[in-house]
Amino acid sequence: MEKSQKAESSNTDAADEKSAAVGPSKAGAATQRKIPGNLPYLTASGTLKKALDRLIEASRPDKFNSDFLENVLKLSGGSARATIPILKRLGFLTSDGVPTDLYARFRTEGGRGPAALQALRTGFPEIFKRSEYAHSVEDGKLRDIIVEITGLKPSDTIVLAIKATFNVVKSYIPAGMDNSSLSTEEDHSTADEPLHSQMGQQTALHIRQQKSSNIGLVYNINIVLPETSDLRVLNAIFRSLKENLMQ
């Protein structure tokens, strides 16, 4: 009986995550609207705000799932469970629902603003391609950017939902904070994070050091890179290697 309940709960979570990825549909239909830009959104953005507010105060769980939402954050129902895939898209959770370092920084007073900005850049990269300071633009400009990316009408419910979801995370960024704070946080987290602890592609870096004599030494160092498409993270890694090893 207990196994059956767990299986049912797991299936419900999966269905809710699929629903969140699909977004709103007519008459409850499960057909997905193909939206250019792959921008994440929730139709009930207020639930995302509640989840973010409450996870700041709650202890960080080993796994962020529907059980944690309902019993710790006191949020239940499909709209609450739909926040989980959004938190994954923003970089707060891994694909398995495990809280990330970004999640931990967001819970701190000093790290919340930079963490929120990094979450926006992770979840809405297409918006930031069009405006490096998208977190500072007026609502009208943000709407225009979303319309440009998606090709939808300004009054479309999905445009409004994307904008509302973006603005929920934006609300945690202090006014006047610029991208220099984000760069500092990213460089710090990259330097502190052990490469071997992350799964990713493997590459070999061959560093040759020649002494002034006729004796030469060759070192082969295997480095496991984090699984990421963010060029800033990779650039920070190789910049550190160049500064510390390739001398």
Side-chain angles (χ1 to χ4, degrees), residues 55-70:
L55 70 81
I56 291 172
E57 300 299 328
S59 297
R60 183 174 58 178
D62 293 331
K63 195 166 186 178
F64 194 109
N65 52 26
S66 59
D67 184 45
F68 176 74
L69 274 170
E70 182 171 354

Side-chain angles (χ1 to χ4, degrees), residues 15 18-35 41-44 156-158 161:
K18 182 178 180 181
S19 176
V22 170
S25 55
K26 297 181 180 179
T31 55
Q32 182 175 6
R33 292 178 63 182
K34 299 292 185 180
I35 306 299
Y41 64 93
L42 278 175
T43 53
D156 193 290
T157 55
I158 289 185

Side-chain angles (χ1 to χ4, degrees), residues 6-191:
K6 289 183 178 179
E8 183 179 352
S9 175
S10 177
N11 290 337
T12 301
D13 288 351
D16 285 323
E17 291 201 17
K18 182 178 180 181
S19 176
V22 170
S25 55
K26 297 181 180 179
T31 55
Q32 182 175 6
R33 292 178 63 182
K34 299 292 185 180
I35 306 299
N38 195 27
L39 302 177
Y41 64 93
L42 278 175
T43 53
S45 59
T47 305
L48 176 61
K49 181 68 166 67
K50 291 178 181 177
L52 291 173
D53 283 343
R54 296 178 188 182
L55 70 81
I56 291 172
E57 300 299 328
S59 297
R60 183 174 58 178
D62 293 331
K63 195 166 186 178
F64 194 109
N65 52 26
S66 59
D67 184 45
F68 176 74
L69 274 170
E70 182 171 354
N71 296 306
V72 179
L73 301 189
K74 305 302 180 183
L75 295 170
S76 59
S79 62
R81 287 190 290 268
T83 62
I84 296 177
I86 295 296
L87 293 176
K88 291 178 181 179
R89 288 287 302 276
L90 295 172
F92 287 124
L93 305 175
T94 67
S95 59
D96 295 329
V98 177
T100 63
D101 287 341
L102 187 65
Y103 181 107
R105 293 202 303 275
F106 181 79
R107 294 182 62 247
T108 67
E109 192 71 29
R112 188 166 305 130
L117 177 53
Q118 185 175 335
L120 284 180
R121 295 183 70 89
T122 299
F124 300 86
E126 289 299 321
I127 289 180
F128 282 89
K129 284 180 182 177
R130 286 161 174 77
S131 175
E132 183 180 357
Y133 294 92
H135 58 287
S136 301
V137 303
E138 297 294 333
D139 261 17
K141 174 63 174 178
L142 176 60
R143 181 201 59 207
D144 289 346
I145 293 174
I146 295 171
V147 168
E148 179 185 344
I149 294 171
T150 62
L152 299 173
K153 295 186 295 185
S155 59
D156 193 290
T157 55
I158 289 185
V159 170
L160 301 178
I162 293 171
K163 183 166 71 71
T165 302
F166 185 97
N167 283 336
V168 164
V169 183
K170 173 185 172 180
S171 68
Y172 295 95
I173 302 175
M177 194 184 80
D178 58 25
N179 288 352
S180 62
S181 299
L182 176 61
S183 300
T184 301
E185 284 292 322
E186 287 183 338
D187 291 345
H188 176 73
S189 62
T190 303

